[in-house]
């Protein structure tokens, strides 16, 4: 595997975000399948020094040594711009991001290979966030977004539209992590950016998804009226029809909001519709990248979640019980649905 390919490893990238040099060396060796001795010619350090760094007996403090390791391990450019001490207090998007995108459509060329690479890495982050944690990956994704938006001013046409989608996907990820970290203001700011960029680029599915996330935030904040209105708007997010998967999650969110408003018949109809839409795309390749998880099992769990919201306890428990075994590798989701199952069983 090339060095560039190694840097797609989320554990390695998270170590870089923390500027944990001992972990960087360990994780690089793990991803590459190298011994400390094999690392010697890459970083220009003898094996005993590498061992001392990895064990914590020696600290990496000099700029010269940091530069030697960075160059030797061929750290990608979108990572080298991350501050040595990333300030996680800066959760909200910078104002200049909107300005950069607003003036993005100029003639010229851009490096779409770099954009494709960043897109592949973001896909890995989506899948790893449950295990690695979004907080560790935050500065990485934030830096990647800067790389994407930096490409847009020299781009036009379909290439610019592709970059707008990639920027929207990053903004959505940042919004979700900010929400998980109890930062609702920044979460809303990021999801607004995601929706705007997706709409400007003509990406109906992503624009709908951003609206669906906004509906989720409204429902979690105790505003089911706004949540239902926003979820319904997500079904008509652009000039082109939604993919079945994108429409499914929007309809499911509307079902949950309707249930909270006491409209249980409507909620059940919407839940059944959402389940049927989800089953139309059984192959992951046919779904948008951010909906990689919406397989038949997740569709069943969402149907059970709607039954739970409608207080149909036995039906909800049966659905949760059926889907839980498939979530063993998703600890956070497993814990969530396990708690729902136990509560539904108790109420039933």
């Amino acid at each position: 595997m090339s060095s560039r390919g190694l840097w797609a490893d989320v554990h390695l990238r998270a170590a870089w975000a923390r500027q944990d040099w001992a972990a960087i060396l360990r994780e690089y060796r793990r991803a590459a399948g190298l011994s400390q001795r094999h690392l010697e010619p890459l970083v220009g350090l003898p094996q005993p020094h590498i061992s001392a760094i990895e064990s914590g007996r020696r600290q990496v403090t000099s700029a010269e040594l940091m530069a030697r390791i960075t160059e030797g391990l061929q750290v990608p450019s979108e990572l080298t711009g991350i501050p040595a001490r990333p300030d996680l207090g800066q959760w909200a998007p910078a104002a200049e991001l909107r300005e950069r995108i607003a003036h993005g459509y100029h003639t010229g060329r851009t490096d779409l290979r770099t954009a494709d690479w960043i897109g592949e890495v973001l896909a890995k982050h989506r899948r790893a966030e449950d295990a690695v944690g979004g907080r560790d990956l935050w500065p990485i994704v934030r830096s990647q977004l800067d790389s994407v938006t930096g490409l847009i001013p020299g781009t036009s046409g379909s290439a610019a539209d592709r970059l707008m989608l990639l920027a929207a996907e990053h903004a959505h990820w940042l919004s979700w992590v900010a929400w998980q970290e109890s930062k609702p203001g920044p979460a809303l700011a990021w999801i607004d950016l995601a929706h705007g960029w997706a709409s400007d680029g003509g990406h109906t599915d992503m624009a709908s998804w951003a609206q669906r996330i906004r509906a989720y935030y409204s429902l979690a904040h105790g505003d089911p009226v706004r949540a239902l209105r926003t979820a319904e708007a997500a079904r008509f997010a652009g000039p082109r029809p939604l993919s079945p998967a994108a429409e499914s999650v929007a309809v499911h969110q509307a079902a949950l909001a309707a249930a909270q408003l006491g409209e249980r018949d409507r909620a059940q109809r919407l839940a059944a519709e959402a389940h049927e839409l989800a089953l139309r795309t059984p192959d992951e390749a046919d779904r948008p990248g951010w909906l990689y998880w919406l397989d038949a099992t997740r569709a069943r769990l969402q149907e059970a979640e709607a039954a739970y919201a409608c207080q149909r306890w036995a039906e909800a428990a049966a659905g949760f019980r059926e889907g839980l075994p498939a979530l063993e590798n998703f600890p956070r989701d497993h814990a969530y649905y396990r708690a729902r199952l136990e509560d539904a069983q108790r109420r039933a």
Side-chain angles (χ1 to χ4, degrees):
M1 181 183 295
S2 68
S3 181
R4 187 175 180 83
L6 292 174
W7 281 99
D9 184 273
V10 292
H11 296 280
L12 178 56
R13 293 170 79 88
W16 178 268
R18 300 192 304 271
Q19 292 289 281
D20 183 342
W21 294 95
I24 289 169
L25 295 179
R26 285 196 304 270
E27 295 295 348
Y28 186 93
R29 289 197 305 103
R30 175 194 56 77
L34 298 177
S35 68
Q36 292 179 347
R37 188 73 67 184
H38 288 130
L39 208 59
E40 284 183 345
L42 296 182
V43 297
L45 289 172
Q47 184 273 330
H49 288 198
I50 294 173
S51 176
I53 292 173
E54 291 190 6
S55 66
R57 300 192 309 275
R58 178 181 176 182
Q59 301 300 312
V60 177
T61 56
S62 74
E64 186 275 332
L65 182 52
M66 292 178 185
R68 192 190 312 172
I69 295 174
T70 300
E71 182 178 352
L73 301 186
Q74 299 180 35
V75 181
S77 59
E78 78 270 10
L79 299 187
T80 56
I82 295 176
R85 296 290 184 270
D87 181 7
L88 288 178
Q90 301 300 317
W91 287 96
E96 57 88 17
L97 272 178
R98 296 176 185 272
E99 189 72 12
R100 191 186 299 175
I101 294 293
H103 295 86
Y105 282 85
H106 300 305
T107 59
R109 296 183 178 182
T110 193
D111 184 2
L112 287 181
R113 288 182 299 176
T114 297
D116 290 340
W117 156 255
I118 294 174
E120 291 173 13
V121 171
L122 180 63
K124 291 180 181 290
H125 290 343
R126 287 194 199 102
R127 296 171 185 265
E129 189 263 333
D130 188 49
V132 177
R135 191 179 182 88
D136 277 349
L137 294 174
W138 173 278
I140 295 287
V141 177
R142 183 65 182 81
S143 180
Q144 289 175 182
L145 176 59
D146 282 339
S147 295
V148 172
T149 57
L151 293 172
I152 291 177
T155 313
S156 62
S158 61
D161 289 340
R162 283 175 59 192
L163 291 174
M164 296 287 269
L165 174 61
L166 191 53
E169 290 185 59
H170 278 72
H172 155 255
W173 190 96
L174 293 166
S175 172
W176 182 249
V177 173
W179 182 267
Q180 297 297 315
E181 293 288 333
S182 301
K183 307 288 183 183
L188 289 169
W190 283 114
I191 206 63
D192 282 350
L193 278 179
H195 181 262
W197 291 342
S199 298
D200 289 349
H203 299 288
T204 305
D205 278 355
M206 173 50 73
S208 172
W209 175 248
Q211 287 281 75
R212 182 266 180 190
I213 293 296
R214 256 195 162 279
Y216 172 86
Y217 292 164
S218 295
L219 193 62
H221 201 256
D223 191 349
V225 173
R226 181 182 296 273
L228 181 57
R229 186 164 61 241
T230 306
E232 289 177 333
R235 301 189 71 176
F236 308 99
R240 291 190 292 273
L242 296 179
S243 69
E247 186 174 3
S248 173
V249 291
V251 174
H252 169 69
Q253 194 62 50
L256 296 182
Q260 213 171 98
L261 286 169
E263 300 180 26
R264 294 179 184 171
D265 289 342
R266 180 183 184 185
Q268 290 174 51
R269 288 195 302 273
L270 288 170
E273 184 181 357
H275 186 256
E276 189 273 330
L277 284 165
L279 296 181
R280 290 187 191 176
T281 50
D283 296 329
E284 183 180 327
D286 296 330
R287 299 190 291 272
W290 55 92
L291 293 178
Y292 69 91
W293 48 269
L294 190 58
D295 56 15
T297 296
R298 295 290 185 142
R300 180 73 178 99
L301 285 167
Q302 289 199 151
E303 188 178 41
E305 189 175 17
Y308 181 93
C310 292
Q311 299 182 13
R312 297 168 65 91
W313 308 120
E315 181 182 333
F320 293 142
R321 195 179 302 111
E322 181 182 333
L324 262 179
L327 300 183
E328 291 296 338
N329 294 326
F330 300 90
R332 188 167 56 199
D333 290 348
H334 189 276
Y336 171 81
Y337 284 114
R338 179 70 190 178
R340 280 284 196 265
L341 169 60
E342 292 172 354
D343 188 56
Q345 288 179 149
R346 187 179 70 254
R347 294 173 183 271

